[in-house]
Amino acid sequence: MSELIDDFDRRIKYVRISVTDRCDFRCVYCMSEEMTFLPRDQVLSIEEISMVARAFTELGVEKIRLTGGEPLVRRNIDELVNNIGSLEGLRDFTMTTNGAQLRRYASSLRQSGMQRLNISLDSLKPERFKELTRTGNLEKVIDGIRAAKEAGFERIKLNAVILKGRNDDEILDLVEFARDESIDISFIEEMPLGDVSEHSREETFCSSDEVRATIEARYPLLDSPESSGGPSRYCRMADSDSRIGFISPHSHNFCDSCNRVRVTCEGRLLLCLGNEHSTDLREVIRANPGEIEPLKQRIRESMSLKPHRHHFTTDGDVQIVRFMNMTGG
Ligand code: SAM
Ligand code: SF4
């Protein structure tokens, strides 16, 4: 039973932990071309992240997702996954990755108890993939997806951010790829996180409704009741096991059932992706080495900081200056 209940009676069952701000890609909607990353001593160590994960599970959290930056560029990531995979009370353990290192890591992640993977894929055209990720290699990511399938993950889901004029002509190709591979796919609306100057977000914004209309022209979609307590809605097609998700962070509809919080790679606990309300867990961990109780106490106290709802806009105003790689997707 979760001990973490906020002032609006929402039970926190899900934590996303960013394990690094670094990445081997520079996706145009996530990072600028030149990035300065945090000095290593400001980032939580593998032991500190393991302790944060343990504290949350002891407080009733059942689901942990590792993200970043790119979690698979973090040194000793397999040790961290192993530590978290053995925590009691954890029912759902997942990672969001760009997939480029999965050939190397997929089977050890699976063996350490990770059940599901989200793999980002915005284009099936090699040159366009390179343009959108700036440094990525499509072939490696496709091979990573195959490695994840071979490793026997319970579910694999692709994440695609759709930008008008950049990859919106590939919506159906991405759906067909997911169908052929018998995996799921979610389409994500671009969020105004970080001041990326490569494109105007106002011009490239493509709503979930537009993506859905494109898919429905070929495959009628049946709404599915599955919900993650987050901004995702799921649909099914009559002739396939693949699920199609739509992630609309701009929608406020999910705030009432929000069951999640995030921890940045610096150990800042963010109570809401769209607000700055936060508390510093690193300070507590480093002031009380090896002691879990002070950390649990700080997490309990932070519940009163969770705001009722977020306030994203699409009018080009960057309200939240953090880059996505700092907060984790
Ligand atoms: N590096 C991993 C990856 O790309 O999957 C994990 C971290 S990444 C920040 C997590 C997810 O956030 C990815 O699916 C990415 O496409 C998405 N993302 C990044 N910046 C975004 C933005 N500004 N708006 C919407 N989604 C974004
Ligand atoms: Fe890296 Fe993921 Fe951001 Fe792309 S979306 S730059 S892969 S952290």
Side-chain angles (χ1 to χ4, degrees):
M1 192 50 139
S2 174
E3 278 185 53
L4 298 177
I5 303 173
D6 74 2
D7 290 353
F8 306 95
D9 219 21
R10 294 174 296 193
R11 284 173 192 279
I12 304 308
K13 296 258 175 122
Y14 177 12
V15 183
R16 293 191 182 206
I17 305 178
S18 173
V19 302
T20 178
D21 60 332
R22 289 164 201 255
C23 186
D24 43 354
F25 289 8
R26 295 284 182 279
C27 301
V28 295
Y29 46 76
C30 178
M31 293 196 184
S32 55
E33 197 153 14
E34 298 298 323
M35 293 286 292
T36 310
F37 295 109
L38 291 165
R40 288 187 201 280
D41 64 340
Q42 288 186 27
V43 174
L44 294 187
S45 68
I46 294 291
E47 293 71 32
E48 288 169 334
I49 302 173
S50 305
M51 189 146 134
V52 168
R54 191 183 128 208
F56 273 107
T57 53
E58 289 184 9
L59 290 165
V61 159
E62 296 173 345
K63 175 170 174 182
I64 292 181
R65 173 180 300 282
L66 300 184
T67 178
E70 173 48 43
L72 296 180
V73 304
R74 176 74 201 243
R75 213 212 278 237
N76 297 334
I77 184 71
D78 27 14
E79 183 187 332
L80 177 68
V81 171
N82 210 19
N83 292 346
I84 297 180
S86 60
L87 289 172
E88 241 172 80
L90 197 60
R91 287 169 197 239
D92 192 3
F93 184 25
T94 68
M95 177 183 277
T96 306
T97 170
N98 65 26
Q101 314 279 334
L102 276 176
R103 176 55 65 190
R104 174 171 168 205
Y105 283 112
S107 81
S108 66
L109 298 178
R110 182 70 188 109
Q111 277 161 23
S112 297
M114 189 171 273
Q115 293 125 340
R116 298 188 300 125
L117 276 182
N118 285 5
I119 306 171
S120 298
L121 181 68
D122 303 326
S123 173
L124 293 162
K125 300 183 178 184
E127 279 180 21
R128 185 182 283 178
F129 186 84
K130 172 129 252 151
E131 212 178 280
L132 289 171
T133 58
R134 292 200 183 97
T135 60
N137 176 330
L138 176 64
E139 212 179 307
K140 244 178 126 180
V141 173
I142 302 281
D143 186 50
I145 294 170
R146 304 257 151 84
K149 284 177 66 177
E150 287 156 28
F153 279 88
E154 285 170 20
R155 278 209 105 93
I156 298 172
K157 184 169 72 118
L158 302 176
N159 277 344
V161 177
I162 300 298
L163 307 182
K164 206 166 269 179
R166 301 292 288 269
N167 64 347
D168 57 336
D169 56 341
E170 285 193 73
I171 295 169
L172 281 173
D173 291 346
L174 288 163
V175 169
E176 262 143 38
F177 178 77
R179 287 166 58 97
D180 290 346
E181 298 289 332
S182 301
I183 56 184
D184 300 334
I185 181 163
S186 279
F187 292 95
I188 309 179
E189 287 177 354
E190 186 180 18
M191 279 187 274
L193 289 174
D195 187 9
V196 296
S197 53
E198 196 259 0
H199 58 280
S200 151
R201 285 186 157 133
E202 228 171 317
E203 285 166 21
T204 54
F205 182 73
C206 186
S207 73
S208 289
D209 288 346
E210 292 170 84
V211 176
R212 183 175 176 143
T214 303
I215 300 171
E216 293 231 80
R218 172 88 56 93
Y219 301 109
L221 296 177
L222 315 161
D223 281 318
S224 163
E226 295 145 290
S227 151
S228 60
S232 316
R233 284 172 295 133
Y234 291 99
C235 299
R236 286 186 182 271
M237 294 165 281
D239 59 346
S240 164
D241 282 340
S242 298
R243 293 185 302 178
I244 299 192
F246 298 98
I247 305 183
S248 317
H250 296 93
S251 146
H252 280 186
N253 300 338
F254 63 90
C255 292
D256 285 337
S257 61
C258 180
N259 61 357
R260 61 189 61 189
V261 294
R262 292 175 164 75
V263 180
T264 71
C265 59
E266 296 169 281
R268 206 148 64 97
L269 170 59
L270 301 174
L271 283 306
C272 169
L273 183 59
N275 285 282
E276 290 292 351
H277 305 70
S278 71
T279 189
D280 186 359
L281 300 182
R282 186 182 66 193
E283 169 198 273
V284 185
I285 297 172
R286 296 193 178 167
N288 304 277
E291 284 184 57
I292 198 142
E293 278 313 318
L295 176 60
K296 285 166 71 177
Q297 189 53 29
R298 174 67 70 94
I299 294 172
R300 275 191 207 98
E301 285 163 9
S302 71
M303 287 300 112
S304 64
L305 297 173
K306 190 165 167 65
H308 192 216
R309 47 189 58 246
H310 67 65
H311 302 282
F312 287 128
T313 63
T314 47
D315 61 9
D317 266 4
V318 178
Q319 296 194 339
I320 309 291
V321 291
R322 292 185 305 256
F323 279 88
M324 192 70 173
N325 67 309
M326 295 293 296
T327 58

